[in-house]
Amino acid sequence: MDENTIGRAIAQAWSEAVFAKDRAGRYRFANAAALAALGKPAGEVIGHNDHEILGDAAVAAPIVESDRRVLREGLPVETEVAFAAPDGTLQTWWTRKTPLRGERGDVVGLLGMARNVTQRRLDDERLRALSQERQLALDAAGMAWWHFDPRTGISRVDARYASIFGIEGREISAERLFELVHPDDRERAARTVERALDPHDPQPYHLEMRIIRPDGQERWVEAHGIAGFEGAATERAATRFVGTVADITERVRTRHALEETNRKLVLADAQKTQFLTTLSHELRNPLAPMRSAIDLLRLGGGDPAVRGRAATVLARQLQHLTRLVDDLLDLARINRGQISLRNEPLDLRPVVEAAVDAMRPVAEDGGLSLALSLPADAGAEAPTVQGDATRLTQCLINLLGNSVKFTPRGGHVEVRLARNGGRVVCEVEDDGIGISADLLEAVFGAFVQAQPSGAGNQGLGLGLALTRSIVEQHGGSVSASSGGPHAGTCIRIELPAA
C-alpha cells in the first residue's frame, strides 16, 4: 500500500470535508463528507469547478476568490462561506485552504478542509442577542455589571460601571476597588464579600456603600452579586463572582431628606402638643386669682381697700392674658408676613432704659438684682440704628422676661449696650438655669422651652422666636450662649448702626 492510497483512506474517513483542486479550480479529490456537503455524487464533482457544481454565480464567487488568493499568494487562507445545503437550509462553512506544490516547488493546486459551523454561528447569534437584551435591561434599570475572578483578584466591568466609579478601562483590581470605597464602609464591604465567597456557607451579597471617586466626588452605590464554586466538598472554591451595581446617590439623598423631614414633623408635633398643654396652663393660671378677686368684690361690699386689692389683681392678670394673646397674634402676623415696622433713626439707650424700667419691679419681686450698662453720653459714639422703638422694646422685654423667669432668687441680670464699629450690640446676661448646648439654637423656634413642661411658670415659648423675627427684619441677628445647665445664659442682639 503506497502513501497516496493511505492518504486518500485517511481523508475519506475524516469527519470533516476534505478536498483538492487544480489551478483551474476543478475538484481532483473530495471525501465523503465533502460530497455530502455539496449534495452531489463524485461523478458530478470530480473534474468540475464550483460554478458548475453550485449553479449559482453569486454563491460560487467568494469560494472561487479565496481559491485564487491561495494560488496567487501561495499562503493558507481561512474563510467562511454560506450556501444552501441539499435539504435547502442555509449553512455556514468554515474552510482552510493551503497551496499544493509540485516537485519544483511551484503551486499546482490547493488542499482544503471545511467544517460546518452553522450551529455554532446560531449559538453565537443567540448569545449576542441575549447579551444585548441583558445590556438593555441593565440600561433600563440604570445598572452596571461586573465579573470578579477570585483567583486573579481582577474585576472586568462594563462602561457604566467605569463611569459610576470614575475609572479608566474595563478592568480593576480588588486592591484598587477597595481604595475607592469610603473608609467608614471598607470593613463592612470586606466582610460582606468574604461571606459571599465562603465555599461552605455562602451568604447573599447585597451591599449599600459610599465610594470616593478619583475626582473626589462621593457617591452611594448598591451592589448585588452571586459567587460560583467548583471542586469537591473538601476542596470547593469560588471561581467566579458576578453581579450588578447601581448609583443610588439621589435615592439615598431623598431618603435622608425624608427621614429629616419626618424627624422635624415628629419634633413639631411634640412641640405643638407641649405648646397646647402650656397654653392651657397659661390661660388657666390668671383665672384663679381673677375668680378670687371677683369673690372679694362680692364679699367685701363697699370696702375701698378690698375693692383696690381686687382691682389690682384683676388688672395684673388681665395684663398677663393680654400679653399672651398679643404674642400669639404677633407670631401669626409674622408667619403671614403682615407685621410692619417703623423705620426711623433711633438711639437705643432710651429704648433699653424703658425695657429695664418696665421689668425692674418684676425682677425685684423675684428677689433679683437688675443692672444696666449704657455708653456714656460724653465722647461715646451714639448707639443709633434704623428701627421701630416699640418693637425693639418688645424684644428686650421678652429677653428680660426670660432671664427673670429662669433665674432663681438672689440671682443677677445685667443688660449691656455698646457700639462696636458698624454694629450696635445689646446683651442680656443672667446667672440662671442656663441652656444645654443642644438647645442653644433650638430655643429660637416657636413653642420651644429651655426646660421641660411643668418646671414652673414658663410662658408659651414664643418670646425668643418673636425676638429673632423682629430683629432679623431690622437686618440684625440674635444668638445665645451658655455655659450649660445652671451656668447662666447670654442673649446677644446685633443691629447695623445707622
Side-chain angles (χ1 to χ4, degrees):
M1 185 179 296
D2 60 18
E3 292 181 357
N4 289 334
T5 303
I6 295 174
R8 285 177 175 273
I10 293 174
Q12 287 291 356
W14 203 259
S15 60
E16 295 177 340
V18 177
F19 56 89
K21 297 180 182 179
D22 60 20
R23 287 191 64 86
R26 293 185 294 265
Y27 284 85
R28 292 306 179 188
F29 173 79
N31 71 351
L35 295 175
L38 294 171
K40 304 284 185 179
E44 296 181 17
V45 173
I46 305 302
H48 298 277
N49 60 36
D50 289 291
H51 285 288
E52 296 168 340
I53 296 169
L54 297 173
D56 188 331
V59 175
I63 300 174
V64 172
E65 176 56 30
S66 65
D67 290 351
R68 290 172 179 169
R69 280 186 57 196
V70 175
L71 298 172
R72 182 176 61 251
E73 299 174 5
L75 297 172
V77 172
E78 292 184 7
T79 59
E80 283 191 6
V81 295
F83 58 86
D87 61 1
T89 61
L90 185 65
Q91 295 187 350
T92 302
W93 288 77
W94 169 86
T95 65
R96 176 180 171 83
K97 301 173 183 177
T98 59
L100 276 175
R101 298 183 182 275
E103 294 179 356
R104 293 178 296 183
D106 54 329
V107 178
V108 296
L110 62 85
L111 176 67
M113 180 178 67
R115 181 184 304 128
N116 191 333
V117 293
T118 305
Q119 189 59 48
R120 191 180 73 188
R121 286 289 171 263
L122 290 174
D123 292 342
D124 289 345
E125 287 299 323
R126 291 193 187 99
L127 287 174
R128 191 159 31 249
L130 286 173
S131 178
Q132 291 174 348
E133 290 175 1
R134 179 196 67 181
Q135 193 60 53
L136 285 173
L138 289 172
D139 290 343
M143 299 177 116
W145 64 263
W146 48 268
H147 178 284
F148 175 67
D149 188 337
R151 296 164 297 187
T152 63
I154 299 296
S155 288
R156 291 186 295 107
V157 302
D158 67 356
R160 186 184 296 274
Y161 186 108
S163 176
I164 292 173
F165 281 75
I167 61 175
E168 299 288 339
R170 299 295 184 84
E171 291 190 352
I172 183 171
S173 67
E175 293 79 5
R176 176 60 180 142
L177 180 58
F178 272 94
E179 288 176 1
L180 297 178
V181 177
H182 192 286
D184 294 343
D185 294 341
R186 284 176 190 165
E187 183 179 351
R188 180 167 56 86
R191 288 199 309 269
T192 306
V193 172
E194 183 179 349
R195 287 195 294 266
L197 297 179
D198 184 345
H200 305 296
D201 184 25
Q203 300 297 311
Y205 177 72
H206 168 68
L207 181 64
E208 279 190 16
M209 63 181 177
R210 291 161 293 176
I211 61 170
I212 301 178
R213 292 159 43 104
D215 60 8
Q217 187 180 152
E218 182 177 306
R219 310 293 293 176
W220 276 91
V221 298
E222 180 182 51
H224 296 268
I226 188 169
F229 301 88
E230 293 180 5
T234 56
E235 300 177 354
R236 182 174 155 92
T239 56
R240 61 193 180 281
F241 188 26
V242 297
T244 61
V245 69
D247 187 331
I248 59 168
T249 304
E250 294 308 317
R251 186 203 308 172
V252 171
R253 288 174 180 169
T254 301
R255 184 175 70 207
H256 289 171
L258 289 173
E259 290 171 352
E260 178 63 16
T261 300
N262 185 63
R263 187 192 67 79
K264 289 180 178 179
L265 288 173
V266 171
L267 177 61
D269 185 65
Q271 290 174 346
K272 179 196 70 175
T273 302
Q274 178 182 328
F275 165 70
L276 292 174
T277 302
T278 305
L279 177 61
S280 300
H281 285 292
E282 288 293 324
L283 291 175
R284 284 178 60 86
N285 284 340
L287 298 181
M290 292 176 75
R291 187 180 295 110
S292 298
I294 292 172
D295 290 341
L296 282 174
L297 288 174
R298 286 174 177 169
L299 297 174
D303 188 338
V306 172
R307 294 174 65 86
R309 288 197 300 273
T312 300
V313 170
L314 288 171
R316 184 186 305 118
Q317 300 307 322
L318 180 61
Q319 182 182 22
H320 179 59
L321 282 173
T322 301
R323 187 177 298 116
L324 290 175
V325 174
D326 285 345
D327 281 350
L328 288 170
L329 290 175
D330 279 345
L331 182 65
R333 293 189 191 103
I334 288 173
N335 286 338
R336 292 196 299 265
Q338 294 178 342
I339 192 169
S340 59
L341 301 175
R342 295 182 62 185
N343 190 17
E344 57 187 3
L346 182 65
D347 187 336
L348 278 188
R349 283 175 289 196
V351 172
V352 175
E353 288 175 331
V356 170
D357 289 343
M359 294 302 299
R360 193 177 295 281
V362 181
E364 291 175 350
D365 287 347
L368 307 176
S369 68
L370 179 56
L372 174 61
S373 174
L374 297 174
D377 290 334
E381 192 173 7
T384 306
V385 300
Q386 288 287 130
D388 186 317
T390 301
R391 289 299 183 182
L392 291 175
T393 302
Q394 177 188 3
C395 291
L396 290 169
I397 288 176
N398 283 337
L399 299 187
L400 284 167
N402 277 347
S403 288
V404 169
K405 189 183 305 178
F406 295 116
T407 301
R409 296 185 71 84
H412 305 82
V413 179
E414 182 179 4
V415 182
R416 297 185 292 271
L417 179 67
R419 175 77 176 257
N420 184 8
R423 310 287 286 178
V424 175
V425 179
C426 182
E427 294 179 328
V428 178
E429 186 171 10
D430 61 62
D431 53 7
I433 65 170
I435 303 175
S436 60
D438 59 327
L439 282 177
L440 281 175
E441 180 61 26
V443 291
F444 291 101
F447 317 133
V448 176
Q449 303 281 358
Q451 274 188 319
S453 179
N457 180 23
Q458 300 180 72
L460 300 179
L462 299 179
L464 290 178
L466 290 171
T467 297
R468 170 168 278 187
S469 295
I470 292 170
V471 169
E472 286 180 347
Q473 288 192 59
H474 281 80
S477 62
V478 185
S479 60
S481 59
S482 174
H486 311 295
T489 304
C490 179
I491 306 295
R492 178 185 178 94
I493 295 176
E494 290 192 30
L495 294 166

